[in-house]
Amino acid sequence: MFTSTGSSGLYKAPLSKSLLLVPSTLSILLALLFQHYQKFFVYNLQAVKNDLQIWRLICGRIICLDLKDTFCSSLLIYNFRIFERRYGSRKFASFLLGSWILSALFDLILVEAFQYSFAITASNLPSGFLGPVFALFVPFYCSIPRVQVTQILGQFSITNKTLIYILGLQLLTSGTHIWVVATSGLIAGMCYTNSVLKVHQVLCIPRWMAKLFSWTLEPIFSSSEPTNEIRIGMGATVDIQRQQRMELLDRQLMLSQFVHVRRQRRHQGRIINWNRFFPTLRQRRNANAPDVRQSEQEVAAPPLEVSEEQVARLMEMGFSRVDALEALRASNNDLNVATNFLLQH
């Protein structure tokens, strides 16, 4: 399953790769070979409340006991790897940790409220790393642009995000009480994304711990850089294939223009807005004959004003201020495009 939010593979996403391999492997082993140990990974809130088995809040929320949940959550984590590339492994891990802790708190609150309101006890909730997976739908909805791919019957639009939502709906309908985990994860994701009570400053990965994991675990789960070729999703229609090829050509063209601008800047000491000087393939296909005088005026125009907030966000990802300014000016202050260019260059 391929989306337009990033290149294929797990390049620059070691944490996502570890979340794909380790919990999935343990889940398969528990289901096939070690069934007698599954009782230690049951997410039983009544045991937590009545018998003070606090350890179930950890063991019951890491490994899925249902292989269908394992499969769906793994596919979602693979598609959400774009956030690790965009924000860096430390911020991505902080988001997962914060939403994991907050969703456990909201699980307890929702179960108690459900029992108090309807006198129905939800003792066992679905096990696994599901809270943070549902929490990732919040930044996915807010920050990933919606691009129409095709239409069904001329009325229903299929976008680059449709399959992800369908997969989330499939996970949501896989169990009886999974709506509790999903609701808790979404609330936790909104709280962490909107910095409610500054939880992002409290529930975060310390720098020393991030460096420790970077030295020890990142070499194990790191992936090689993918090639420039892109595969077309199996079963894709002709329109989807044409759209993906066009997007690939656009990205390659814009990347080459960005490199060209950087070289000109080194030699001439100034920046050209390549997004105006070099139109993309779709703009070339739909645009009328260019006006030479207007092009000359655009080239001679002063540099575009750049938002300091966006510069700070790029610098937090590890890019220098010079590269951040250059990428934002070249992309007309489009943070997503600037980030993709800096990651690929």
Side-chain angles (χ1 to χ4, degrees):
M1 188 184 308
F2 301 93
T3 64
S4 60
T5 56
S7 58
S8 60
L10 290 163
Y11 178 60
K12 291 188 177 180
L15 179 58
S16 300
K17 185 176 181 179
S18 65
L19 291 175
L20 284 174
L21 295 179
V22 178
S24 300
T25 303
L26 294 177
S27 178
I28 294 174
L29 290 176
L30 284 174
L32 299 180
L33 301 178
F34 304 103
Q35 293 92 343
H36 52 285
Y37 289 113
Q38 288 185 353
K39 60 183 179 180
F40 297 107
F41 298 92
V42 174
Y43 187 22
N44 190 331
L45 290 182
Q46 294 301 319
V48 174
K49 176 183 175 183
N50 299 330
D51 303 331
L52 297 180
Q53 297 181 2
I54 308 298
W55 53 271
R56 289 192 180 274
L57 291 175
I58 299 176
C59 296
R61 305 181 69 247
I62 296 178
I63 302 174
C64 292
L65 298 181
D66 191 335
L67 292 181
K68 297 190 301 294
D69 293 347
T70 302
F71 179 73
C72 292
S73 60
S74 297
L75 287 178
L76 288 171
I77 290 174
Y78 177 79
N79 282 276
F80 289 149
R81 73 198 185 281
I82 181 63
F83 295 113
E84 183 175 4
R85 293 175 177 172
R86 181 175 298 181
Y87 303 129
S89 297
R90 177 172 176 260
K91 281 197 170 183
F92 184 64
S94 297
F95 180 90
L96 294 179
L97 174 64
S99 59
W100 187 71
I101 295 175
L102 289 175
S103 60
L105 175 62
F106 291 127
D107 283 344
L108 293 170
I109 295 175
L110 287 176
V111 168
E112 288 298 321
F114 190 69
Q115 182 177 0
Y116 178 80
S117 302
F118 304 101
I120 298 177
T121 302
S123 56
N124 291 344
L125 296 182
S127 303
F129 198 69
L130 302 178
V133 171
F134 283 107
L136 284 169
F137 275 98
V138 176
F140 180 75
Y141 174 80
C142 297
S143 62
I144 301 300
R146 179 178 177 270
V147 179
Q148 179 175 327
V149 177
T150 186
Q151 285 187 337
I152 299 178
L153 302 177
Q155 296 180 353
F156 304 99
S157 298
I158 301 296
T159 69
N160 58 326
K161 303 169 71 173
T162 302
L163 294 178
I164 310 302
Y165 289 134
I166 293 176
L167 191 59
L169 184 62
Q170 173 65 32
L171 182 61
L172 181 61
T173 57
S174 63
T176 305
H177 300 299
I178 197 170
W179 65 268
V180 177
V181 178
T183 305
S184 301
L186 292 174
I187 297 175
M190 288 187 286
C191 291
Y192 201 93
T193 302
N194 297 320
S195 303
V196 177
L197 300 178
K198 297 183 178 181
V199 293
H200 68 288
Q201 298 180 0
V202 179
L203 304 176
C204 64
I205 302 295
R207 292 186 181 274
W208 64 268
M209 186 178 295
K211 291 182 179 179
L212 177 63
F213 285 116
S214 177
W215 293 336
T216 56
L217 298 180
E218 186 172 347
I220 301 175
F221 295 104
S222 60
S223 300
S224 59
E225 183 176 2
T227 60
N228 293 328
E229 298 181 355
I230 185 170
R231 296 184 297 166
I232 303 299
M234 183 178 297
T237 64
V238 176
D239 290 336
I240 296 177
Q241 294 178 12
R242 187 183 299 112
Q243 178 76 14
Q244 289 179 341
R245 291 192 182 97
M246 184 65 74
E247 290 173 355
L248 174 62
L249 291 175
D250 271 348
R251 288 197 298 269
Q252 291 176 344
L253 178 62
M254 289 188 292
L255 181 59
S256 64
Q257 293 165 355
F258 181 63
V259 175
H260 177 68
V261 169
R262 296 193 67 175
R263 291 175 180 173
Q264 284 191 341
R265 183 181 178 277
R266 293 191 184 99
H267 294 291
Q268 301 177 8
R270 61 188 179 89
I271 300 177
I272 298 177
N273 192 336
W274 56 263
N275 202 29
R276 299 177 181 178
F277 190 72
F278 300 100
T280 61
L281 291 178
R282 296 185 183 86
Q283 291 172 340
R284 290 181 178 180
R285 181 181 60 186
N286 299 326
N288 297 324
D291 188 3
V292 178
R293 294 181 180 179
Q294 183 178 0
S295 300
E296 292 177 353
Q297 292 176 357
E298 288 179 351
V299 173
L304 183 68
E305 292 294 331
V306 177
S307 171
E308 287 297 328
E309 181 181 357
Q310 293 182 343
V311 174
R313 290 185 64 180
L314 288 176
M315 292 178 66
E316 289 177 356
M317 300 180 201
F319 303 113
S320 66
R321 179 178 177 82
V322 175
D323 291 340
L325 288 171
E326 185 175 336
L328 287 170
R329 285 170 178 162
S331 60
N332 284 333
N333 277 324
D334 191 320
L335 183 61
N336 293 332
V337 175
T339 304
N340 290 331
F341 285 149
L342 291 172
L343 288 174
Q344 296 179 33
H345 180 65

